[in-house]
Amino acid sequence: MNQLYVLIIKKKPLTIILFISVLILLALIIWVKTDYFEEVINYRYDDSVVVRSGSEREKLIALTFDDGPHPRFTPEILDILYEYNAKATFFVLGKHVKLYPEVLQRLIDEGHEVGNHTFTHIDVTKSSYGKISKELDDTDNIIYSVIGVKPNIFRPPFGFLNNNTLHIVKERGHRIVLWTANQDPRDWNSPTADSIANHIIRNVGNGNIILLHDYVPEKNSQTVEALKIIIPELIKEGYRFVTISELLEMSDLR
Ligand SMILES: [Zn+2]
């Protein structure tokens, strides 16, 4: 004890105290981070909460469109879907539903599904518990005010997740829907229609959930043109286009 006292107080007290503090801090960071990541990874692979694809047994595809409704692009997409009797899912922003409620009503009337994508496209990892709850509830409520039903699926903006969001979403009984790996052609970044279509067709597989956007601000979206290639080609290959709920039901993932 005396020796330790001499070592700390007489020799290099500051260096040793600093060293011990850094060790404690490192241990704390590792403990918090490990716990955090384990929880997120567990949720990510828990089919009852986070979905990335449907069953591989069926030739079903779920097209999903984020960030709308948009006054021009969403109706153009709906026209193509109608032409091929294809169903899809739209993850809408509350602020866009407020601006274009008639577009949301039309997509519901035509048999498509709507999902919650927050009110203002927040990054949930940088938002408080209260803020995430409010964004989700406000979006559910505005959707309800237009179509009389609340959605039961949620897609976090950018696909980012954290424990608060998982907790909030679970509490509301929503399912989190991401997308199948390799089915994000980044259509918001102005690739050509051919490159969007080739990306999807090249990587396609049974039960895929495909990520596209019906609202791309200040850019001319090529998504509509890409769909004119993708849908007939995949129908020719024997695929059928269904909503997320239909995909989950047929995949026994209700
Ligand atoms: Zn988005």
Side-chain angles (χ1 to χ4, degrees), residues 62 64-66 155 179-180 183-188 200 209-213:
T64 64
F65 300 93
D66 286 9
R155 174 175 285 163
W179 53 89
T180 307
Q183 286 299 5
D184 172 11
R186 298 164 67 88
D187 61 331
W188 47 269
I200 290 172
I209 297 174
I210 294 171
L211 172 63
L212 291 164
H213 294 78

Side-chain angles (χ1 to χ4, degrees), residues 65-68 91-93 117-118 121-122 155-159 179 188 211-213 215:
F65 300 93
D66 286 9
D67 304 345
F91 288 94
V92 299
L93 293 180
H117 194 47
T118 75
H121 212 267
I122 53 164
R155 174 175 285 163
F158 318 104
W179 53 89
W188 47 269
L211 172 63
L212 291 164
H213 294 78
Y215 199 113

Side-chain angles (χ1 to χ4, degrees), residues 29-46:
I29 289 171
I30 291 168
W31 177 69
V32 169
K33 284 284 177 193
T34 309
D35 183 50
Y36 170 79
F37 282 122
E38 264 178 13
E39 206 170 333
V40 170
I41 287 165
N42 284 340
Y43 274 120
R44 277 176 188 240
Y45 288 95
D46 180 352

Side-chain angles (χ1 to χ4, degrees), residues 12-66:
K12 290 172 180 167
L14 265 181
T15 316
I16 291 167
I17 290 169
L18 203 69
F19 181 68
I20 291 171
S21 306
V22 169
L23 274 185
I24 293 172
L25 196 69
L26 271 177
L28 206 67
I29 289 171
I30 291 168
W31 177 69
V32 169
K33 284 284 177 193
T34 309
D35 183 50
Y36 170 79
F37 282 122
E38 264 178 13
E39 206 170 333
V40 170
I41 287 165
N42 284 340
Y43 274 120
R44 277 176 188 240
Y45 288 95
D46 180 352
D47 282 347
S48 68
V49 184
V50 182
V51 179
R52 290 172 186 274
S53 60
S55 165
E56 288 176 11
R57 293 191 306 270
E58 311 274 346
K59 293 202 89 165
L60 300 174
I61 299 287
L63 290 172
T64 64
F65 300 93
D66 286 9

